[in-house]
Amino acid sequence: MASPSAARKTLTSAKVSVLASFAAISFALGLLFRDALIFAGIPVVIYLALVSLVRAPGEIEVTRSNEKSQFYENDSTKVRLRTTNLGNQSIALVMIEDQLPVELSNGSSSASFSFSLKPGETRDCFYMIKAEVFGLYVLGPIRTRCEDAAGLNIVKSIIEETAPIVVLPKTTERLTHFKISPRKTKPWPGEIVASRVGLGIDNYSIRQYMPGDSFRRINWRASAKTAGDDLLLNEQTAELGADTIIIVDARPASNLISHDGESLVKDSLRAAISLSDKLLRDRNRVGLVTIGLETSRLPPGYGRRQYNRLVLSLIKVRAGGLFTFENIPSYLKYFYPHLAQVIMVSPLLDSEAFIASGEIARSGYELLVLSPNPIDYSSERDEAQKKKRTLRIARELASIVRQNNLAHVRESGAIVLDWRKGESLDFMLSKNIRANSRARAMRRSRF
């Protein structure tokens, strides 16, 4: 809501200066040439004297209300600007202008309206906003301009009232095949199969019945085969949860834009939202570290409220900033020394990212690197360029270098997934489940 207490600035139109200059010049020329031209400025002077008696336009109140303050990308919503004349005189011309972010304005930087208001009259104006990219945006401030009938008295004001608009991603993929299997688990129920006895589905062992045990867990078939009257009880493998941190790389080096306008950082954020949703549905605690224009940290939590916090934090991320990857390993050791799983979403474009990922894996964390392939986000503009021999050779060389670097990260104990542009995230994860399991088994056999 816009308050009428906004700063007002009363101005005099340039018309007054022009008319006064005309009257002064005509009077001076009339005296100089002793001509009747001296009387030409008299009507102008009388007009200016009468206009000066007219009061400046009174105050107005502008109220902004949104149909929806939260909606999905590619959707639209309606915004209402209600303007009320608080004075006791008419305002011949009222101009209001609401400042809009470029992402919501479809190429226009404002929503402008012009009309007149009678004393006490209220006028409603509407405009539509549509977001093509998810994020957190702000409407405002509102600029107003009021003029009298002669256009000589002008009152301008800037109403510093803003309204947040939350645009949620619409195309986040719901994962079904992705599961983490860290060595460290926490004592609460989850979906991670642990090598211990507890609540679960799969049988772990059979033991003798003890007083107080549930009769539902008695293995009657095995008990019937015993020589005595002993009862045998099934014990299940415990299914527990884990603490997980998702690291999103949104540094300037990772801000690649493909020829069709797709952003690598935006795709990384969508992937992080999908991973957060699946991990929380599996009853893990999930936290977040974003490295971008505004580096943020969200402690691990669980439940729907934590998912909402994660989504709001991710849609605020903007590519940029000066924070480097070199501090991430020590940062995790200081704040989260007992983490079970670290998931890094990064294209691994520079040496800082490679060194940091290797150090995280060697520090004892279970590291999963989801790496969007940066080669797919090259700036090709047409099909003819793709057929050029030099470009094809450059892409092949870049692919060889990337695979070699990813192999070095895998040697440090991390699981690295090369995610190609346009490939389904769920399909890619399901395709690598067996490979991940074999890598974990080989890594555990070394210890």
Side-chain angles (χ1 to χ4, degrees):
M1 177 177 177
S3 165
S5 60
R8 301 173 73 245
K9 185 177 181 180
T10 302
L11 304 174
T12 302
S13 175
K15 299 177 183 178
V16 176
S17 301
V18 173
L19 293 176
S21 300
F22 172 76
I25 293 174
S26 61
F27 183 77
L29 292 175
L31 289 178
L32 180 62
F33 297 105
R34 297 181 180 180
D35 193 85
L37 189 62
I38 192 174
F39 301 105
I42 295 178
V44 177
V45 174
I46 296 174
Y47 173 76
L48 293 177
L50 293 176
V51 168
S52 64
L53 300 178
V54 179
R55 292 182 300 172
E59 293 185 349
I60 61 173
E61 180 184 49
V62 183
T63 304
R64 182 199 295 112
S65 60
N66 306 332
E67 182 182 24
K68 292 181 293 186
S69 59
Q70 179 173 307
F71 58 96
Y72 289 92
E73 58 183 340
N74 296 325
D75 290 343
S76 58
T77 184
K78 184 185 294 185
V79 180
R80 182 188 68 185
L81 295 177
R82 172 166 289 180
T83 308
T84 304
N85 185 359
L86 302 179
N88 55 5
Q89 63 176 345
S90 298
I91 303 177
L93 178 62
V94 177
M95 301 175 63
I96 58 175
E97 180 183 25
D98 200 1
Q99 303 297 311
L100 306 181
V102 177
E103 295 84 356
L104 300 180
S105 56
N106 294 328
S108 175
S109 61
S110 65
S112 303
F113 304 93
S114 301
F115 47 87
S116 60
L117 286 177
K118 297 178 181 179
E121 183 183 0
T122 298
R123 176 73 64 91
D124 288 338
C125 301
F126 300 90
Y127 66 90
M128 300 292 295
I129 56 176
K130 182 179 180 180
E132 297 182 356
V133 180
F134 65 88
L136 180 63
Y137 306 103
V138 177
L139 301 180
I142 302 174
R143 299 177 181 271
T144 67
R145 177 188 176 102
C146 300
E147 298 183 8
D148 57 14
L152 300 181
N153 294 314
I154 301 173
V155 177
K156 293 183 178 180
S157 64
I158 299 178
I159 303 174
E160 299 291 345
E161 187 70 21
T162 58
I165 297 292
V166 178
V167 181
L168 301 174
K170 190 175 183 179
T171 58
T172 51
E173 190 174 355
R174 191 171 180 86
L175 306 180
T176 57
H177 298 89
F178 173 68
K179 285 187 178 181
I180 58 174
S181 299
R183 293 191 300 268
K184 300 177 182 178
T185 54
K186 297 299 180 178
W188 58 78
E191 299 292 331
I192 302 173
V193 179
S195 57
R196 68 181 72 173
V197 177
L199 297 177
I201 299 176
D202 299 330
N203 288 336
Y204 182 79
S205 63
I206 297 177
R207 65 172 175 84
Q208 190 174 4
Y209 175 81
M210 301 292 292
D213 291 332
S214 174
F215 285 99
R216 296 182 179 181
R217 296 169 56 194
I218 295 177
N219 190 329
W220 297 102
R221 181 173 296 181
S223 301
K225 296 179 181 180
T226 59
D229 295 332
D230 296 335
L231 295 177
L232 299 180
L233 198 73
N234 289 328
E235 287 188 320
Q236 281 75 37
T237 302
E239 295 182 358
L240 305 174
D243 272 345
T244 307
I245 285 290
I246 298 177
I247 302 174
V248 179
D249 180 8
R251 297 173 301 154
S254 304
N255 189 25
L256 301 179
I257 308 296
S258 64
H259 65 282
D260 55 357
E262 293 292 331
S263 169
L264 189 149
V265 171
K266 292 296 182 181
D267 288 345
S268 299
L269 296 176
R270 286 189 174 93
I273 293 175
S274 298
L275 292 170
S276 303
D277 174 62
K278 183 62 170 67
L279 291 171
L280 289 172
R281 282 190 285 117
D282 290 345
R283 291 172 289 180
N284 300 296
R285 292 205 314 171
V286 183
L288 178 68
V289 175
T290 59
I291 305 171
L293 191 60
E294 295 181 1
T295 301
S296 61
R297 176 175 65 93
L298 190 63
Y302 52 88
R304 192 66 187 178
R305 289 185 178 179
Q306 181 69 4
Y307 176 73
N308 294 334
R309 296 190 193 101
L310 290 168
V311 172
L312 289 176
S313 297
L314 286 169
I315 65 177
K316 294 178 183 177
V317 174
R318 294 290 182 272
L322 302 175
F323 194 89
T324 63
F325 252 56
E326 298 176 353
N327 301 324
I328 290 296
S330 56
Y331 179 84
L332 292 176
K333 291 178 185 178
Y334 183 80
F335 287 101
Y336 310 108
H338 304 294
L339 272 180
Q341 181 79 54
V342 177
I343 300 178
M344 180 186 296
V345 185
S346 170
L348 299 179
L349 274 172
D350 52 10
S351 59
E352 291 183 4
F354 283 108
I355 294 173
S357 58
E359 188 174 346
I360 291 173
R362 287 188 291 268
S363 299
Y365 296 105
E366 295 279 347
L367 177 62
L368 170 64
V369 181
L370 177 62
S371 182
N373 196 310
I375 302 175
D376 297 335
Y377 292 83
S378 59
S379 57
E380 301 163 344
R381 295 186 179 275
D382 51 42
E383 295 295 329
Q385 286 186 335
K386 297 182 181 180
K387 298 178 181 179
K388 289 184 179 179
R389 185 169 180 270
T390 55
L391 181 61
R392 185 174 67 254
I393 294 175
R395 289 175 63 90
E396 292 176 356
L397 291 176
S399 179
I400 294 173
V401 173
R402 174 174 169 79
Q403 294 303 323
N404 185 42
N405 291 333
L406 296 184
H408 285 300
V409 178
R410 292 188 181 102
E411 290 177 358
S412 65
I415 298 174
V416 183
L417 305 180
D418 188 13
W419 183 27
R420 302 306 300 264
K421 184 176 179 293
E423 185 180 20
S424 169
L425 180 60
D426 193 31
F427 174 76
M428 187 271 299
L429 292 172
S430 64
K431 184 177 65 175
N432 288 276
I433 284 178
R434 293 183 180 179
N436 297 345
S437 301
R438 288 195 299 268
R440 283 191 294 267
M442 292 178 60
R443 187 167 64 253
R444 290 173 181 174
S445 65
R446 297 177 185 173
F447 297 95

